[in-house]
Amino acid sequence: MKMRKWLSTVMAVCLFAFSILPISAADWNNPFKDVPSNEWYYAAVRFAHSNKLFVGVSNDRFAPDQTMTRAMFVRVLKNLNDRLGFEIPTETGSKDDDNYGKDIFDDNTPFTDVPLDEWYSDAVKWAYDRGIVAGYTNTEFGVDGNVSREEMCAFLYRFAAKAGIELEAIRELHFNDMDRVSSWAKAPVQTMANAGVVGGVGGNRFAPADTATRAEVAQIMKTFCAALQRAGVDTGDIQFD
């Protein structure tokens, strides 16, 4: 518990420092000892870090091979929303209800594993209130659970849909294991694959239950932002080079 609290404090400090320091992709000074320039993920990490979508696990470590958790992924998605300036309405209440359009996560949380003062708390609150993510159960979000490939597609799909964005299909992929994709993730997986955001893992398989590393997610965020641009979204000062 002490170790988790210490890590949370470090992440909070890193997130605050990261939010106030402007970084240009073109002039990026790689702070990460574990992201050498000859690795396939170098450009993806540069994109994600310079555009303020990611922080490292410490000041000089990105941990590219570390598995991405659900809390980390939702944090990155919230960071992207903040950069793009989308104002996605909440889905709480009905139009005849006093709670319509209001955040329900301000003073309490339905998830016992999401306190209000962790580095991921506001991101989970934002995504949950807007119908972008759901918990494992009504009371457990699963912050430390590894995000699966089909979950990532679902989160990105709902994010785009809630923002009123229809991604353009630039190809048509047919994975051999689509029967293994959960029913709620079939449309998201197919949409993200056809939009060029995600690909297979070899053997024409998608591997929906597999996890993703932080480096792989950095690459996915880069391809997702490219897909947003193709859909006509003004991505502002997000830089690719």
Side-chain angles (χ1 to χ4, degrees), residues 20-43:
I20 62 175
L21 293 176
I23 305 172
S24 168
D27 301 323
W28 187 56
N29 182 21
N30 182 8
F32 303 122
K33 295 178 180 179
D34 55 356
V35 182
S37 59
N38 61 344
E39 286 288 352
W40 67 266
Y41 50 75
Y42 177 84

Side-chain angles (χ1 to χ4, degrees), residues 44 47 55 82 84 91 96 104 123 126 136 166 192 204 215 221:
F47 170 85
V55 295
D82 291 347
L84 296 176
E91 294 189 344
D96 298 324
I104 63 172
W126 166 82
Y136 285 157
E166 184 175 351
M192 292 301 143
N204 198 33
M221 296 312 295

Side-chain angles (χ1 to χ4, degrees), residues 33 65 94 117 152 171 218 223 228 233 238 241:
K33 295 178 180 179
D65 296 325
S94 65
D117 57 353
M152 286 191 295
R171 61 189 181 185
T223 54
L228 292 179
V233 175
I238 287 182
D241 298 320

Side-chain angles (χ1 to χ4, degrees), residues 56-228:
V57 298
S58 68
N59 288 335
D60 61 359
R61 286 186 61 245
F62 184 77
D65 296 325
Q66 180 177 321
T67 304
M68 194 76 167
T69 67
R70 284 163 54 88
M72 287 179 186
F73 191 84
V74 176
R75 175 78 266 170
V76 171
L77 197 57
K78 174 65 162 57
N79 291 346
L80 174 61
N81 183 80
D82 291 347
R83 288 301 311 276
L84 296 176
F86 291 163
E87 295 184 1
I88 302 174
T90 65
E91 294 189 344
T92 55
S94 65
K95 290 187 178 180
D96 298 324
D97 196 34
D98 289 340
N99 287 330
Y100 180 68
K102 296 180 180 179
D103 287 353
I104 63 172
F105 221 161
D106 286 334
D107 300 319
N108 61 77
T109 164
F111 301 124
T112 58
D113 58 344
V114 183
L116 294 176
D117 57 353
E118 292 288 357
W119 55 267
Y120 50 78
S121 299
D122 67 316
V124 175
K125 159 188 154 30
W126 166 82
Y128 175 77
D129 278 350
R130 284 151 184 80
I132 296 171
V133 301
Y136 285 157
T137 68
N138 290 335
T139 58
E140 180 190 6
F141 180 73
V143 291
D144 295 325
N146 296 328
V147 67
S148 69
R149 285 167 54 81
E150 67 177 8
E151 282 179 326
M152 286 191 295
C153 288
F155 294 167
L156 293 171
Y157 177 85
R158 294 175 197 152
F159 172 74
K162 302 300 182 182
I165 301 164
E166 184 175 351
L167 298 181
E168 175 188 352
I170 60 173
R171 61 189 181 185
E172 189 171 350
L173 296 183
H174 300 282
F175 297 116
N176 293 335
D177 58 350
M178 279 298 289
D179 60 327
R180 295 178 53 204
V181 177
S182 301
S183 58
W184 49 265
K186 287 187 184 297
V189 167
Q190 197 64 66
T191 298
M192 292 301 143
N194 290 350
V197 177
V198 297
V201 297
N204 198 33
R205 295 182 306 110
F206 178 71
D210 282 7
T211 57
T213 65
R214 286 167 52 85
E216 289 168 340
V217 172
Q219 178 63 28
I220 286 172
M221 296 312 295
K222 185 177 182 181
T223 54
F224 183 65
C225 286
L228 292 179

